Amino acid sequence: MSDNLLELRGISKAFDGKTILQELDLNIKSNEFVTLLGPSGCGKTTTLRIVGGFEKPDTGSVIFNGEDITALAPEKRHINTVFQKYALFPHMNVEENIAFGLKIKKKSKEYIKDKIKYALKLVDLDGFEKRKPNSLSGGQQQRIAIARAIVNEPEILLLDEPLGALDLKLRQDMQSELIRLKNELGITFIYVTHDQEEALTMSDKIVVMHRGLVQQIGTPKDIYDEPCNAFVADFIGDSNLLKGKMLDDRLVEFLGERVICVDEGFGKNEPVDIVIRPEDVEINEVGKGIVNGVVKNILYKGANYEMTVEAGGFDWLIHNTVAYPVGSMVSLYVKPFNIQIMKQMDESEMILDEDMENETYE
Amino acid sequence: MVKNVFGRIYIGLIMLFLYAPIVVLIVLSFNNSKSRAKWGGFTLKWYSELFDNSIVMDALWTTLTLAILSAVIATVLGLLGAIGIDAMKKRNYQIMLGATNIPMLNADIVTGIALMLFMVRFLPLGFSTMLIAHITFNIPYVIFSILPKLQQIDVSVYEAARDLGANSVKAFWKVIIPIIKPGITSGFLLAVTMSLDDFIITYFTRGAGVNTLSTVIYGEIRRGIKPEMYSLSTILFLMVLIVLVMSNRASKKQVK
């Protein structure tokens, strides 16, 4: 037996002949905060529903504590879910909502009472026992949904885009609230979101998914600093995505320039994708960088300026604390270790733009 | 301003044509005179004669039994039907919705004759055929009362119940049923009123010697209108009114 709390082995799932998940493998350890991240339709919610028992995979198995629970009904799993739209029972008050799972498990009245008190305190809503769900704000409903799930002492708490319906400020408050809760409860969280910032802030481990496939698994820092392909690079944070050719170890060519980098082990003249983060592009006097260009656009973003510089036939996105006026001539430079080089993805896999636009309109 | 005036005229006309005749009927049922034109003082004579009339009392009993029984059975079947329709995919869903709508819009006389011709082949006409007929025309009303409530339910509410340890049966009884209860109640009460005030379908599917209030009234009136029939009609009207008000209250509960 391994030390994994949950293992997904070769999970595939299709709806109406449309493949949603392909041979998904995923291991989750006890007490981890794991985030499934990806654009809509990437299979993240389906994965969560398979763990919760609401969908059966077409192939593959779900192993929980070393036991195969693939066919186990949701009510028999030591896993609880916080649903996207909270799914509180509208005909019950807060207290009855929280007590629902405990009553079914035939816990004593005193036990239930204590649990309700404890849970409401934990989510900072004591005194709300008799309120009806529809008299609560979105953030309060969300916290009741969390309280209702955790009183059952699950080993894994599943959260399906729980903050999606909240406004920005509330969302940020709830993010730190969730991290606090997780540390206090010491249980495993599996969190689904399409919001990369949320994922980077909260997770111990991020699973980036796209088109039913896991693209990359790693810590937030791994994923941001060392994206394994162009999709991950583009989905997580802003980036400049260039096509290039590896001339030799530590020497890459892009935009017609030969540039020193730190990557090794690619074939000679192998075509590659190159990712450069906007904050890693340095602006120098003309002639003192890799390529010369002209500032086309500048936006004040509070903490820094966001500039577009056309250089070498490519529009560079640049974050800098110094403003360069539109029209000024500059030269761009990138330190070798800030140049991320990745094997090229199939063209067919590069559909992210349209996917991500759909996401914003949801 | 003009809108307001027209609104008032409209309401006035409705009151006049719909309710004035009923008010006249009710007033006449307390009239101590056989004349329809003269007020002979207040009396409960027609009501007491009515209650002494065994044909009328039998019919009252039959009407109530029929209404309650057919409404209960139609509510159970309609609930199952609504759940099934709600779970259907788009195409079947539209077909079933249409199939449910047609009996409601179909002319009662067609429904009545059709049911009679169909059932007479294997059942003697009587209470049982009336009951089947009433269940049949009640089911669509129940379905259309429950379906909207089912559609308002977020599937994840049911899944949340499962997630919290309820098996499918428990999740259904403890979560789905309470949420759609106002729809079930109003569907049931609507079915009661539909059964109470049906005449045409009842007339065709009843057997000899079995009467409901509406068929008794019809039968009596053919022999000349007696004041007792005014009181009987008043009773029927009040029964329907009471159940209808209850039904409206039940469906309003959900909105709150």
Side-chain angles (χ1 to χ4, degrees):
Chain A
M1 230 184 83
S2 60
D3 61 344
N4 290 325
L5 179 63
L6 184 79
E7 289 176 28
L8 301 182
R9 292 186 190 156
I11 302 274
S12 296
K13 177 81 187 168
F15 289 110
D16 299 327
K18 195 170 170 260
T19 305
I20 301 295
L21 291 174
Q22 300 176 49
E23 293 289 321
L24 178 94
D25 288 304
L26 181 63
N27 294 329
I28 291 169
K29 291 193 169 53
S30 196
N31 213 356
E32 265 187 324
F33 195 126
V34 180
T35 299
L36 308 180
L37 175 67
S40 64
C42 74
K44 55 191 192 300
T45 296
T46 307
T47 308
L48 199 76
R49 290 175 61 78
I50 286 173
V51 175
F54 303 111
E55 304 286 354
K56 299 265 173 291
D58 298 335
T59 61
S61 48
V62 183
I63 312 291
F64 179 71
N65 267 335
E67 248 177 85
D68 189 331
I69 59 161
T70 317
L72 203 65
E75 64 266 25
K76 298 204 173 106
R77 303 185 178 199
H78 295 287
I79 295 173
N80 287 109
T81 309
V82 175
F83 292 85
Q84 192 167 10
K85 287 185 219 126
Y86 326 137
L88 295 176
F89 306 129
H91 58 294
M92 299 181 187
N93 64 25
V94 165
E95 191 175 56
E96 290 161 339
N97 262 286
I98 298 175
F100 187 87
L102 301 173
K103 275 187 190 153
I104 283 177
K105 294 184 190 79
K106 303 233 169 2
K107 301 283 187 192
S108 74
K109 273 211 175 91
E110 292 74 46
Y111 179 87
I112 293 176
K113 218 174 147 189
D114 285 351
K115 271 286 183 186
I116 291 172
K117 219 171 165 189
Y118 161 78
L120 283 177
K121 203 167 200 108
L122 202 62
V123 296
D124 207 18
L125 281 177
D126 14 6
F128 280 69
E129 284 86 346
K130 303 293 178 203
R131 296 275 292 271
K132 278 277 173 104
N134 61 9
S135 73
L136 303 177
S137 70
Q140 289 168 337
Q141 289 190 41
Q142 187 55 272
R143 283 187 274 169
I144 297 302
I146 293 167
R148 183 178 67 175
I150 59 177
V151 290
N152 300 286
E153 300 177 347
E155 289 188 59
I156 301 178
L157 188 66
L158 308 177
L159 301 107
D160 185 5
E161 307 216 19
L163 309 184
L166 306 181
D167 60 49
L168 182 65
K169 182 76 183 68
L170 199 55
R171 202 153 68 214
Q172 286 166 345
D173 290 348
M174 282 301 291
Q175 283 173 9
S176 36
E177 192 92 334
L178 280 172
I179 297 170
R180 178 182 67 83
L181 269 175
K182 195 210 145 260
N183 293 335
E184 233 163 276
L185 295 165
I187 57 178
T188 306
F189 276 35
I190 305 180
Y191 192 93
V192 161
T193 184
H194 65 263
D195 183 332
Q196 41 102 4
E197 241 180 80
E198 207 166 277
L200 292 172
T201 314
M202 302 167 75
S203 325
D204 297 323
K205 187 200 262 180
I206 295 178
V207 181
V208 184
M209 295 177 72
H210 179 48
R211 293 194 150 188
L213 292 169
V214 171
Q215 303 290 320
Q216 186 171 5
I217 301 179
T219 64
K221 199 167 160 39
D222 288 345
I223 303 257
Y224 189 81
D225 291 345
E226 307 279 339
C228 73
N229 61 31
F231 172 80
V232 176
D234 201 31
F235 191 71
I236 311 281
D238 295 320
S239 54
N240 294 291
L241 202 54
L242 298 137
K243 295 243 179 268
K245 199 162 66 176
M246 209 60 189
L247 297 175
D248 205 340
D249 279 354
R250 297 184 297 280
L251 186 63
V252 65
E253 184 190 300
F254 59 85
L255 303 179
E257 306 286 337
R258 294 162 160 242
V259 183
I260 293 174
C261 63
V262 295
D263 292 78
E264 301 177 353
F266 289 88
K268 259 204 177 11
N269 292 326
E270 185 180 337
V272 288
D273 285 328
I274 297 150
V275 163
I276 298 166
R277 296 292 183 192
E279 63 272 24
D280 291 336
V281 183
E282 294 166 24
I283 301 179
N284 287 339
E285 285 169 45
V286 175
K288 292 193 172 172
I290 298 166
V291 279
N292 294 329
V294 55
V295 179
K296 278 174 70 185
N297 193 13
I298 180 160
L299 286 171
Y300 179 57
K301 286 280 185 174
N304 56 25
Y305 293 92
E306 186 180 291
M307 282 170 276
T308 315
V309 174
E310 189 188 337
F314 180 81
D315 282 344
W316 293 74
L317 183 70
I318 301 169
H319 293 165
N320 204 314
T321 48
V322 183
Y324 289 80
V326 173
S328 51
M329 299 293 293
V330 293
S331 187
L332 305 180
Y333 175 73
V334 186
K335 292 198 175 83
F337 59 81
N338 281 330
I339 299 174
Q340 285 300 320
I341 296 179
M342 301 158 309
K343 279 193 190 301
Q344 246 176 25
M345 282 177 87
D346 283 341
E347 283 297 323
S348 66
E349 289 176 54
M350 297 292 297
I351 48 119
L352 34 138
D353 281 349
E354 130 204 11
D355 264 19
M356 287 167 66
E357 270 165 30
N358 289 343
E359 197 71 46
T360 32
Y361 292 116
E362 255 184 6
Chain B
M1 200 46 215
V2 177
K3 248 186 183 173
N4 225 330
V5 171
F6 278 111
R8 274 157 201 254
I9 292 173
Y10 178 70
I11 287 175
L13 286 175
I14 290 220
M15 287 295 182
L16 188 66
F17 283 104
L18 285 180
Y19 292 104
I22 296 172
V23 172
V24 171
L25 177 86
I26 293 171
V27 170
L28 286 178
S29 76
F30 296 108
N31 187 8
N32 195 5
S33 155
K34 285 214 170 190
S35 158
R36 259 170 273 164
K38 205 171 71 195
W39 177 250
F42 180 85
T43 180
L44 287 173
K45 173 169 82 181
W46 310 121
Y47 284 89
S48 73
E49 265 177 41
L50 203 60
F51 289 115
D52 288 336
N53 183 334
S54 70
I55 293 176
V56 170
M57 290 324 281
D58 279 352
L60 177 65
W61 181 241
T62 310
T63 305
L64 289 176
T65 322
L66 188 63
I68 303 288
L69 213 56
S70 69
V72 167
I73 298 170
T75 303
V76 173
L77 295 178
L79 173 63
L80 297 176
I83 291 167
I85 293 172
D86 184 52
M88 278 176 184
K89 295 255 163 67
K90 206 156 190 177
R91 194 168 155 270
N92 287 345
Y93 179 84
Q94 291 301 338
I95 293 171
M96 278 314 293
L97 230 50
T100 311
N101 242 318
I102 290 166
M104 288 169 69
L105 302 173
N106 195 18
D108 276 1
I109 194 152
V110 178
T111 309
I113 294 174
L115 280 168
M116 186 261 284
L117 287 174
F118 179 68
M119 287 190 294
V120 81
R121 292 185 170 273
F122 46 87
L123 270 177
L125 291 179
F127 185 80
S128 54
T129 48
M130 270 159 69
L131 182 63
I132 292 170
H134 279 227
I135 292 167
T136 310
F137 72 70
N138 274 338
I139 286 176
Y141 293 96
V142 176
I143 289 179
F144 281 115
S145 298
I146 296 176
L147 204 53
K149 308 284 173 204
L150 275 174
Q151 284 163 340
Q152 282 167 15
I153 297 183
D154 183 357
V155 189
S156 57
V157 171
Y158 169 78
E159 288 181 344
R162 296 290 303 272
D163 187 76
L164 293 167
N167 59 30
S168 51
V169 177
K170 258 192 190 152
F172 179 73
W173 282 106
K174 286 188 183 272
V175 175
I176 303 296
I177 290 287
I179 295 176
I180 62 171
K181 206 164 131 200
I184 298 174
T185 316
S186 75
F188 168 76
L189 293 172
L190 203 57
V192 171
T193 56
M194 287 301 148
S195 171
L196 282 182
D197 74 12
D198 176 71
F199 166 69
I200 300 173
I201 296 172
T202 312
Y203 184 74
F204 282 103
T205 52
R206 79 197 176 100
V210 188
N211 268 311
T212 65
L213 289 181
S214 56
T215 59
V216 166
I217 295 171
Y218 180 73
E220 291 290 327
I221 280 173
R222 283 202 300 188
R223 281 184 256 136
I225 300 176
K226 282 192 283 176
E228 287 158 56
M229 288 306 111
Y230 303 150
S231 3
L232 189 53
S233 304
T234 303
I235 290 171
L236 191 55
F237 170 74
L238 286 179
M239 282 185 349
V240 171
L241 188 70
I242 289 165
V243 184
L244 212 57
V245 168
M246 283 162 69
S247 160
N248 281 343
R249 281 196 164 181
S251 63
K252 270 208 190 102
K253 245 187 194 165
Q254 176 81 356
V255 181
K256 212 172 42 168

